[in-house]
């Protein structure tokens, strides 16, 4: 009898979207959108990584002028940016791919140099990120994170509206949907994690209050573009940028309980094997067994498509799908250096090694679109 178990390379139906395999391009900041506008380099980068009916998620994309924390990251809050993204989306669609835009606000993980008028970054708190972490500056040096400004309660609906408008703009640009970035110590995570959120208003204290901002954003975006076009990314057990929580399992379950009611396109969870920006390990809570227990608890609780990411190899990805621990597996760094990663994983072909030094540089080609595909490698070898 044939084995009907799904594999990393078997088709999958994600809501209304029919995928030909389960390998996903994970969102990754690459700093190539000069002055915040997607350009031809981004068109080339994303189309290189597109497969027929394959699923891609863009790098974190600014929802407003206050949301940047890196140089030259793309936005989706003005018409010029929308027009730039249209070219990227068109390129992906012409190759038969499907692409979501990741909506991103870094919150306190910013600096006055990235803020309009040199203002303080916004957050749930006035506590700055510790000196364990450094921010990449426009001149390629690293600096300490400054003290943020806690959002006043009455300002929060304005930020919710920024997410809503960004989602509408993404659909105008042709995206198949959006992913709301609620992970990795950025703005929404700064409200969810009790190691950061020290508020005494309706957005602080209890689990319910700390989940409120994320839920308001998700509800507003889903109402604007349709819940079936919305995914959410969370990382309850990752302490990147000091985003610690005293009970990550309960936090994840609380978020999932609320998201289940909305019938979204998917939930994307980064597990603690993830390493943030090569600066430091982001901190596992306990052993591999504990990590597996957390991921299984969240996977079991979520009703819908479950995407996992965070340091997955070919073997770990195959295992995750085969064991039912995830429906889809998102790959990051391996996709940077292997534009044809899906083919390489399928063939178990050798992988190009990535060059970390060019992850966040601004050259439109070097370390971005110049990694060879298998057929180019074979063409080169055949000439020798």
């Amino acid at each position: 009898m044939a084995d009907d178990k799904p594999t990393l390379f078997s088709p999958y139906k994600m809501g209304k979207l029919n995928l030909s395999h389960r390998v996903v391009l994970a969102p990754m900041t690459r700093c190539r959108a000069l002055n915040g506008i997607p350009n031809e380099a981004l068109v080339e980068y994303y189309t290189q990584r597109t497969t027929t009916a394959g699923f891609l998620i863009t790098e974190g994309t600014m929802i407003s002028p206050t949301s940047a924390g890196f140089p030259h990251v793309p936005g989706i809050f003005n018409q010029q940016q929308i027009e730039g993204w249209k070219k990227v989306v068109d390129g992906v669609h012409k190759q038969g791919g499907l692409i979501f835009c990741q909506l991103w606000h870094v919150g306190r993980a910013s600096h006055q140099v990235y803020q309009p008028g040199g203002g303080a970054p916004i957050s749930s708190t006035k506590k700055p990120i510790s000196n364990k972490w450094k921010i990449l500056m426009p001149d390629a040096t690293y600096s300490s994170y400054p003290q943020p400004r806690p959002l006043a309660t009455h300002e929060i609906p304005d930020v919710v509206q920024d997410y809503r408008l960004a989602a509408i703009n993404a659909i105008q640009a042709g995206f198949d949907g959006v992913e709301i970035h609620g992970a990795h110590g950025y703005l929404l995570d700064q409200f969810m994690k009790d190691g950061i959120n020290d508020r005494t208003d309706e957005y602080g204290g209890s689990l319910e209050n700390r989940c409120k901002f994320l839920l308001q954003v998700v509800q507003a975006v889903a109402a604007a573009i349709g819940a079936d076009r919305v995914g959410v990314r969370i990382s309850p057990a990752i302490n990147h940028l000091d985003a610690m929580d005293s009970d990550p399992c309960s936090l994840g379950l609380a978020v999932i309980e609320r998201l289940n009611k909305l019938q979204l396109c998917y939930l994307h969870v980064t597990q603690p094997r993830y390493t943030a920006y090569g600066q430091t390990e982001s901190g596992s809570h306990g052993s591999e067994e504990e990590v597996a227990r957390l991921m299984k608890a969240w996977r079991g609780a979520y009703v819908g498509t479950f995407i996992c990411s965070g340091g997955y190899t070919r073997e770990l990805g195959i295992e995750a799908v085969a064991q039912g621990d995830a429906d889809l597996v998102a790959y990051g760094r391996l996709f940077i250096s292997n534009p044809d990663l899906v083919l390489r994983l399928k063939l178990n072909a050798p992988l190009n090694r990535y060059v970390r030094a060019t992850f966040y540089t601004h050259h439109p080609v070097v370390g971005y679109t110049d990694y060879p595909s298998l057929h180019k490698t074979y063409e080169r070898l055949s000439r020798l």
Side-chain angles (χ1 to χ4, degrees):
M1 198 166 107
D3 187 353
D4 292 331
K5 275 192 173 181
T7 74
L8 190 60
F9 311 107
S10 59
Y12 180 77
K13 187 170 177 60
M14 183 172 70
K16 295 177 181 176
L17 305 176
N18 293 304
L19 309 182
S20 63
H21 57 80
R22 298 164 185 245
V23 178
V24 178
L25 173 67
M28 288 176 290
T29 295
R30 301 306 314 277
C31 301
R32 261 66 174 201
L34 300 184
N35 303 311
I37 300 163
N39 51 40
E40 289 303 319
L42 274 74
V43 175
E44 176 70 10
Y45 175 79
Y46 284 103
T47 54
Q48 279 183 351
R49 286 152 185 80
T50 300
T51 52
T52 302
F55 184 48
L56 294 77
I57 310 169
T58 72
E59 61 211 275
T61 302
M62 299 182 291
I63 62 162
S64 69
T66 66
S67 53
F70 284 82
H72 300 300
V73 291
I76 189 76
F77 56 85
N78 68 39
Q79 197 59 40
Q80 202 173 0
Q81 293 162 348
I82 293 169
E83 294 304 318
W85 277 122
K86 279 181 181 177
K87 295 173 185 173
V88 174
V89 174
D90 287 349
V92 169
H93 285 166
K94 280 175 187 170
Q95 303 269 18
L98 300 157
I99 184 167
F100 274 33
C101 181
Q102 191 192 61
L103 306 184
W104 187 38
H105 196 304
V106 302
R108 70 175 185 167
S110 185
H111 190 279
Q112 292 94 330
V113 73
Y114 295 121
Q115 294 299 310
I122 59 173
S123 183
S124 64
T125 181
K126 66 178 181 182
K127 295 182 293 187
I129 296 169
S130 70
N131 283 329
K132 170 185 174 183
W133 307 92
K134 300 296 179 185
I135 184 168
L136 178 64
M137 302 293 278
D139 64 359
T141 62
Y142 285 87
S143 183
S144 297
Y145 286 97
Q147 184 175 18
R149 175 181 71 81
L151 278 168
T153 307
H154 69 84
E155 292 178 295
I156 291 176
D158 294 335
V159 183
V160 173
Q161 175 72 348
D162 287 338
Y163 277 97
R164 178 181 169 275
L165 293 175
I168 291 169
N169 289 345
I171 299 304
Q172 186 186 333
F175 282 104
D176 300 292
V178 302
E179 177 177 284
I180 295 166
H181 196 345
H184 304 171
Y186 296 120
L187 182 62
L188 297 173
D189 208 22
Q190 291 160 26
F191 276 75
M192 287 187 280
K193 299 282 179 68
D194 63 9
I196 299 175
N197 187 334
D198 54 3
R199 301 176 75 89
T200 56
D201 65 359
E202 64 199 79
Y203 292 93
S206 68
L207 258 180
E208 184 169 355
N209 286 0
R210 287 184 278 122
C211 292
K212 187 173 182 178
F213 187 15
L214 172 69
L215 264 292
Q216 288 178 336
V217 167
V218 177
Q219 287 167 338
V221 168
I225 67 170
D228 60 339
R229 288 175 155 182
V230 180
V232 174
R233 190 178 200 183
I234 60 171
S235 59
I238 287 176
N239 64 15
H240 181 225
L241 301 174
D242 297 336
M244 290 168 282
D245 194 84
S246 60
D247 187 353
C249 186
S250 294
L251 173 60
L253 291 173
V255 172
I256 288 168
E257 179 189 347
R258 288 155 177 80
L259 295 182
N260 276 341
K261 298 171 185 174
L262 303 177
Q263 297 182 298
L264 304 176
C265 186
Y266 66 81
L267 177 68
H268 181 181
V269 180
T270 320
Q271 65 91 45
R273 190 170 45 228
Y274 162 88
T275 304
Y277 306 122
Q279 292 189 45
T280 181
E281 286 294 332
S282 290
S284 291
H285 285 263
S287 63
E288 280 294 315
E289 291 77 19
E290 172 67 5
V291 169
R293 186 186 71 79
L294 286 172
M295 293 296 284
K296 283 180 186 293
W298 298 327
R299 160 64 159 165
Y302 185 67
V303 180
T305 298
F306 191 90
I307 303 178
C308 65
S309 60
Y312 280 84
T313 59
R314 179 180 188 272
E315 293 70 29
L316 289 170
I318 288 171
E319 183 181 287
V321 172
Q323 294 184 353
D325 293 335
D327 298 303
L328 308 174
V329 180
Y331 288 85
R333 286 162 290 178
L334 296 184
F335 242 130
I336 287 178
S337 53
N338 297 277
D340 55 351
L341 181 65
V342 178
L343 177 62
R344 288 175 187 261
L345 293 179
K346 200 166 190 176
L347 298 176
N348 198 16
L351 300 177
N352 299 320
R353 299 183 72 171
Y354 53 77
V355 180
R356 194 181 294 279
T358 57
F359 279 7
Y360 309 116
T361 52
H362 313 313
H363 198 285
V365 175
V366 177
Y368 193 52
T369 58
D370 61 346
Y371 286 105
S373 60
L374 269 178
H375 78 268
K376 285 183 180 175
T377 301
Y378 289 144
E379 280 175 9
R380 192 173 67 243
L381 289 173
S382 68
R383 293 193 209 105
L384 296 178

